[in-house]
Amino acid sequence: MVALLSAAMVAAATVSAAGAFPYPVHRRTLGNGLEVILVPYDSPGLAAYFTAFRVGSRDEVEKGRSGFAHFFEHLSFRGTRAHSGDDWERITKSLGYDSNAYTEDDATVYWLAGPTAGLPTIIDLEADRFMNLAYSEDDFKIEARAVLGELLKDLSSPDFKLFEVARERAFSRHTYRHGAMGFERDVRAMPSGYLYSLELYRRFYRPDNATVVVVGDFDEERTFRDIERAFGSWQGTGQPVAVEPEPAQVAERQVRIAFPTPILPRLYSGWHTPGAADPAAVAAQLVLWPFLFARPSALYRELVLERHLVEEIGGEYEPHRDPFLFGCELVLKNAAAEGKARAAVDRAIADVAAGRIDLRLLADVKSNVLASLVMETDTPYRTGVWLLYYRELAGDPGYLEGVMERVRRVSPEDLSVFARRWLSPPNRTTVFMSWEPRGRSPRPLAGLGGGAP
């Protein structure tokens, strides 16, 4: 079997030998479609190992099934007939490996990091886990309760709740309407979804929908042969789902909500913007978010340091596979600051749209964005996380390199054109959250209007 797979294997390709991304990225594909990415890294005796699946909350298209990609991440630690979950944990810990997993909108990623000497055993364990996963309905129901507990904990955070409401209001059709945790009503109903979980496994946990990444100090050829041997017999074809596109938003959406405990009021504004299919727009947003909202920005200086209207400006721009939201959260000093803060945000966006751009600040921001992306590769683990994040956006491990090169070329005109095209009031969703004493109704949103012309 190994000989046949070697003959069918796509030839190794170096995605990045030199350029913005600081490490070589060697990409190979097995005959069954499994992609293998090997990244040599100067970490003597240490390596990070990842198995990623291109399935996240984006792929939860069936009504009532939100949150299942994240739920399945939990189930994947339940074990196989060869190795129980407890056995898997005992072996990995005995080898000196840390491990965990995470589910995002566009992908689910499993990782281990530890001594290179343990890699052959880790590869065998992970191949067994994903090829032969087995769990009972009782295991399923136990894990469902754990997932509900995790969601309820998240919902106690006003920031989590604010963004959850913003997504649900901003998206009417696309599955980005919910996050990885899913809607509470769906999570509460999960114990009845055992058969659906098996269908999710069959549909998405297939070799051609998976990527194995190894970053660190290891022998490339030996490691690839070990992966080929362990995963080569894995069969099956993934079944990607059709996600309904989000129609263009033609009028501003707004909502005011109350939080059950005393908090500082919060104001979220988000605009629909392009996804990974438009790498130039991704690069523009990576630059524009800190230019508008981060600590060096004029808006931060005005709202936080000078006028003391805002406690902090939160959020960040997160590229997504499909068009998503470009937005920020203002934690206000008090409710009376709402209108003035909104007006300041609108003026800052209007300045960019009109071409009034601080060139020195723009140069500093671009340098910082590029430096931050490089600094995120300061360990084998963090390098793998970032490489996979951008790989899952476009199906290309070289996508991060390409975006970094585009960041270098972002011009003032690029930011102005982007702001005029996307950061307009009709394309905006606004959510205001505050603590309201029991019995009082939330007031209408203040300071509507403004923004890019």
Side-chain angles (χ1 to χ4, degrees):
M1 175 63 74
V2 171
L4 292 174
L5 287 172
S6 296
M9 182 184 69
V10 176
T14 299
V15 175
S16 171
F21 188 74
Y23 309 109
V25 179
H26 302 143
R27 178 183 183 181
R28 308 185 184 192
T29 305
L30 300 187
N32 58 8
L34 177 71
E35 184 174 45
V36 180
I37 299 175
L38 304 175
V39 183
Y41 187 105
D42 186 15
S43 55
L46 299 174
Y49 181 94
F50 303 82
T51 311
F53 294 88
R54 211 172 191 203
V55 53
S57 55
R58 172 193 181 274
D59 303 281
E60 295 162 351
V61 297
E62 292 91 350
K63 185 177 180 180
R65 298 304 188 186
S66 69
F68 256 86
H70 169 252
F71 182 23
F72 201 85
E73 172 208 314
H74 283 243
L75 293 170
S76 296
F77 286 87
R78 281 286 169 176
T80 68
R81 291 180 176 84
H83 297 289
S84 68
D86 290 341
D87 190 35
W88 182 93
E89 184 173 8
R90 178 187 59 77
I91 296 172
T92 57
K93 292 296 184 186
S94 70
L95 293 171
Y97 274 75
D98 290 329
S99 63
N100 213 325
Y102 55 89
T103 303
E104 300 175 319
D105 292 329
D106 297 318
T108 304
V109 178
Y110 303 84
W111 63 268
L112 301 100
T116 301
L119 265 182
T121 302
I122 293 298
I123 291 168
D124 286 342
L125 283 173
E126 292 297 85
D128 177 54
R129 171 154 69 140
F130 297 116
M131 293 167 60
N132 304 308
L133 180 64
Y135 54 88
S136 68
E137 189 166 2
D138 286 341
D139 291 335
F140 176 90
K141 291 180 178 179
I142 291 171
E143 208 61 57
R145 291 195 292 271
V147 170
L148 176 60
E150 185 177 345
L151 173 61
L152 294 177
K153 179 181 178 181
D154 286 343
L155 288 173
S156 67
S157 162
D159 301 319
F160 181 91
K161 183 65 177 177
L162 182 74
F163 193 45
E164 181 188 62
V165 171
R167 290 174 68 139
E168 189 171 2
R169 180 57 62 97
F171 291 95
S172 60
R173 296 183 185 176
H174 195 286
T175 44
Y176 286 156
R177 193 165 186 254
H178 63 268
M181 294 301 299
F183 293 124
E184 182 179 350
R185 59 184 178 271
D186 295 345
V187 176
R188 289 189 180 277
M190 276 180 176
S192 64
Y194 175 69
L195 293 180
Y196 177 78
S197 74
L198 300 178
E199 174 64 16
L200 185 148
Y201 177 56
R202 186 189 64 80
R203 183 187 299 170
F204 294 109
Y205 279 66
R206 301 293 95 185
D208 62 342
N209 200 45
T211 304
V212 169
V213 175
V214 186
V215 183
D217 173 31
F218 58 91
D219 183 294
E220 287 190 58
E221 288 305 318
R222 177 186 171 184
T223 299
F224 177 74
R225 288 196 302 271
D226 287 342
I227 293 170
E228 186 180 40
R229 170 187 50 77
F231 285 94
S233 62
W234 195 7
Q235 298 299 312
T237 302
Q239 297 180 358
V241 295
V243 178
E244 187 172 5
E246 182 66 21
Q249 184 172 312
V250 296
E252 183 166 11
R253 298 171 186 171
Q254 50 193 308
V255 62
R256 192 179 192 97
I257 59 175
F259 198 72
T261 57
I263 58 167
L264 288 175
R266 285 157 164 76
L267 178 70
Y268 174 83
S269 298
W271 295 261
H272 292 274
T273 54
D278 188 344
V282 169
Q285 291 173 88
L286 284 169
V287 174
L288 185 56
W289 197 96
F291 183 87
L292 282 173
F293 304 121
R295 287 179 179 269
S297 69
L299 184 66
Y300 186 95
R301 185 169 62 250
E302 175 188 355
L303 292 180
V304 178
L305 302 179
E306 296 174 354
R307 299 178 68 188
H308 304 291
L309 297 172
V310 170
E311 181 74 18
E312 63 177 311
I313 300 178
E316 61 181 331
Y317 166 64
E318 297 181 349
H320 276 64
R321 183 174 174 181
D322 299 331
F324 193 61
L325 295 176
F326 177 92
C328 73
E329 174 190 357
L330 306 182
V331 180
L332 305 176
K333 293 285 190 179
N334 52 59
E338 178 190 346
K340 294 176 183 178
R342 283 180 59 97
V345 172
D346 290 344
R347 286 195 303 272
I349 292 172
D351 282 344
V352 173
R356 294 187 290 271
I357 294 175
D358 183 332
L359 298 182
R360 178 176 294 180
L361 175 61
L362 175 58
D364 288 345
V365 166
K366 288 169 59 177
S367 294
N368 185 263
V369 169
L370 288 168
S372 296
L373 288 170
V374 173
M375 287 299 293
E376 291 292 347
T377 65
D378 62 344
T379 68
Y381 164 73
R382 283 155 62 91
T383 300
V385 167
W386 275 91
L387 189 66
L388 274 170
Y389 179 82
Y390 280 89
R391 182 255 179 262
E392 298 306 329
L393 295 179
D396 177 12
Y399 188 79
L400 174 57
E401 169 83 14
V403 167
M404 292 174 75
E405 290 294 347
R406 287 179 179 273
V407 166
R408 295 182 190 276
R409 302 196 298 269
V410 169
S411 68
E413 182 181 3
D414 292 332
L415 299 188
S416 296
V417 169
F418 185 90
R420 289 196 298 270
R421 171 65 180 87
W422 299 105
L423 305 188
S424 63
N427 193 36
R428 177 170 57 191
T429 296
T430 303
V431 181
F432 184 88
M433 171 189 282
S434 64
W435 173 62
E436 298 288 348
R438 188 178 299 276
R440 284 180 52 180
S441 299
R443 293 163 293 168
L445 282 164
L448 293 178

